[in-house]
Amino acid sequence: MRIPVLTNLLEESDALANLNRQTFDAAGVFVVNLMSSPGAGKTTILAKTIELLRDRGLRCAVLEGDITSTLDSERLAPLGVPVVQANTEPFGGDCHVGSHFVKAALDHLPIHDLDYLFIENIGNLVCPAEFYLGEHRKVVVLSLPEGEDKPVKYPLMFRECQACLLNKLDLLPYLDVSVPLLRERIATVNGGLTVFPVSAKTGIGLGSWIEWLELGRTELQAAKCGVSVSTS
Amino acid sequence: MRIPVLTNLLEESDALANLNRQTFDAAGVFVVNLMSSPGAGKTTILAKTIELLRDRGLRCAVLEGDITSTLDSERLAPLGVPVVQANTEPFGGDCHVGSHFVKAALDHLPIHDLDYLFIENIGNLVCPAEFYLGEHRKVVVLSLPEGEDKPVKYPLMFRECQACLLNKLDLLPYLDVSVPLLRERIATVNGGLTVFPVSAKTGIGLGSWIEWLELGRTELQAAKCGVSVSTS
């Protein structure tokens, strides 16, 4: 039996991502695709990040990706920022956010009144790494309880990202985990990855992360004005 | 453009799984498919489980599923049990262990000299839940630092499994996590899931898990002799 198949599904996905990127660039919105294992702390990090950026007068929105449920959107709603929930279950239960979800979400976001858009991807250290959504930066959150071996066991994610948040630093005294060893292993996979040890719970380390986000946005604005700025 | 596609890939996968199951049943080996997010503690639980079963004179083997690396196999090798590593990266980097990997592994395992075979699936709370490998039981490990919302956000995994190990109980004093609330949420997704709060690090709670494994194997043996035993 033969059935028609789009052989260029990945190309279609990338084409949509490129359209998304054009929209983001034109609006001057800096977009971050946040990925991690389930429970690494993406939503808590986002809540703190949104507050810290707001303190600096910067406006954020969130695209929440989940297979099902609106639990994360409900956690972020009290912050008063625009949140769009994208659930993949009604569409086959995809294990990652697709560029078509991002494109659809843009209709529901005040894109011209934003400085940052955060895409909270589905909790999965494997599949989301394979898909470009149009974002300016890919960021992986690794929580310390997950252990030191993850960069080596899930190398694609760590290769694709530009920054890594090592979260749950507050638990370090109770774990058999070495941050230097973890850094070493990250470096063997991607020496260019910027690493931020943080605790979203206590707030420690988040200042450098916020500065990194601000530098990224400055770079985007400079590019829009035709100015080249080196921020990395 | 039209290309040939096997429309029954999932059927093929299930057919291989059924063959695996026949092999397991004929050999009297009780097979457990162990799944979780990355870093929830599957390997540490396996190491402790193998030792505890060995103390009871029971023989184990492990099929280690990873995208890449042999880190987990190396951790289990000192236990002196047969370990087969299945890496998916050379075959496209699948995000789950497939029934064809299990079938291939059987050639490298002394299947007739075993009481238990543990399949340590790839760290992923999404995709592995979709595939039957021929196992007698599916078990999910959820580590407490991952939070209370995971059963609701990744319901398929919790629906498919027969047991859930709540691992890293030793960290409970340092987390904002409630085990009763977690149990409640698990029950809303799958009221039939047997829940074992454990710490693979300290060993607490593992006795009930070991008994559950022994009951499962007893059930398998009874079925082989045509005797019906209710153990759940």
Side-chain angles (χ1 to χ4, degrees), chain A residues 198-220:
Chain A
V198 304
S199 165
K201 188 174 172 180
T202 69
I204 193 169
L206 289 175
S208 305
W209 156 244
I210 296 296
E211 283 186 358
W212 186 83
L213 288 172
E214 290 194 287
L215 284 170
R217 190 171 152 271
T218 305
E219 200 175 318
L220 170 66

Side-chain angles (χ1 to χ4, degrees), chain B residues 49-50 53-54 58-62 81-82 114-118:
Chain B
T49 299
I50 289 166
L53 288 172
R54 182 158 53 194
L58 296 161
R59 302 154 301 174
C60 299
V62 178
V81 297
L114 294 177
D115 300 302
Y116 291 92
L117 171 64
F118 295 96

Side-chain angles (χ1 to χ4, degrees), chain A residues 162-230:
Chain A
Q162 288 81 47
C164 172
L165 296 169
L166 296 180
N167 193 27
K168 308 199 184 179
L169 198 60
D170 53 290
L171 292 177
L172 189 60
Y174 317 111
L175 301 171
D176 300 324
V177 170
S178 153
V179 173
L181 178 57
L182 192 43
R183 279 183 177 275
E184 202 176 290
R185 288 190 161 175
I186 289 171
T188 63
V189 175
N190 180 356
L193 198 63
T194 307
V195 178
F196 300 107
V198 304
S199 165
K201 188 174 172 180
T202 69
I204 193 169
L206 289 175
S208 305
W209 156 244
I210 296 296
E211 283 186 358
W212 186 83
L213 288 172
E214 290 194 287
L215 284 170
R217 190 171 152 271
T218 305
E219 200 175 318
L220 170 66
Q221 290 176 312
K224 216 178 158 186
C225 307
V227 182
S228 171
V229 179
S230 172

Side-chain angles (χ1 to χ4, degrees), chain A residues 1-5 7 37-40 42-43 64 66-69 71-72 75 89 92-95 120-127 130 143 145-147 149-150 152-155 159 168 170-171 174-176 185 201, chain B residues 1-7 37-40 42-43 66-69 71-72 75 89 92-95 120-127 130 143 145-147 149-150 152-155 159 168 170-171 174-176 185 201:
Chain A
M1 181 185 172
R2 279 165 184 270
I3 56 165
V5 177
T7 53
S37 303
K42 292 187 295 304
T43 314
E64 268 301 334
D66 281 298
I67 296 170
T68 183
S69 95
L71 288 171
D72 288 348
R75 281 176 63 191
E89 195 172 52
D94 267 5
C95 49
E120 183 175 347
N121 221 307
I122 290 170
N124 183 335
L125 211 50
V126 187
C127 317
E130 297 177 22
S143 73
E146 291 175 65
D149 56 354
K150 297 303 161 292
V152 180
K153 291 174 69 181
Y154 303 88
R159 264 187 233 128
K168 308 199 184 179
D170 53 290
L171 292 177
Y174 317 111
L175 301 171
D176 300 324
R185 288 190 161 175
K201 188 174 172 180
Chain B
M1 180 185 172
R2 282 167 180 269
I3 56 167
V5 176
L6 285 171
T7 53
S37 303
K42 292 187 297 303
T43 315
D66 282 297
I67 296 171
T68 183
S69 94
L71 288 171
D72 288 350
R75 281 176 62 192
E89 194 171 54
D94 267 6
C95 50
E120 183 176 346
N121 220 309
I122 291 170
N124 183 336
L125 210 52
V126 187
C127 318
E130 298 177 22
S143 72
E146 291 174 65
D149 56 356
K150 297 303 160 293
V152 181
K153 290 175 68 181
Y154 304 88
R159 263 186 233 126
K168 309 199 185 180
D170 52 289
L171 292 178
Y174 318 111
L175 302 171
D176 300 324
R185 289 191 160 175
K201 188 174 174 179

Side-chain angles (χ1 to χ4, degrees), chain B residues 25-36:
Chain B
D25 285 349
V29 186
F30 190 73
V31 181
V32 175
N33 180 3
L34 201 60
M35 298 176 281
S36 80

Side-chain angles (χ1 to χ4, degrees), chain B residues 136-193:
Chain B
H136 296 97
R137 297 287 188 278
K138 289 181 201 280
V139 175
V140 58
V141 180
L142 179 65
S143 72
L144 294 181
E146 291 174 65
E148 297 136 346
D149 56 356
K150 297 303 160 293
V152 181
K153 290 175 68 181
Y154 304 88
L156 184 65
M157 179 61 81
F158 290 83
R159 263 186 233 126
E160 288 289 326
C161 286
Q162 289 81 46
C164 172
L165 295 169
L166 297 179
N167 194 27
K168 309 199 185 180
L169 198 60
D170 52 289
L171 292 178
L172 189 60
Y174 318 111
L175 302 171
D176 300 324
V177 169
S178 153
V179 173
L181 177 57
L182 192 43
R183 280 183 177 276
E184 202 176 289
R185 289 191 160 175
I186 289 171
T188 63
V189 175
N190 181 355
L193 198 62

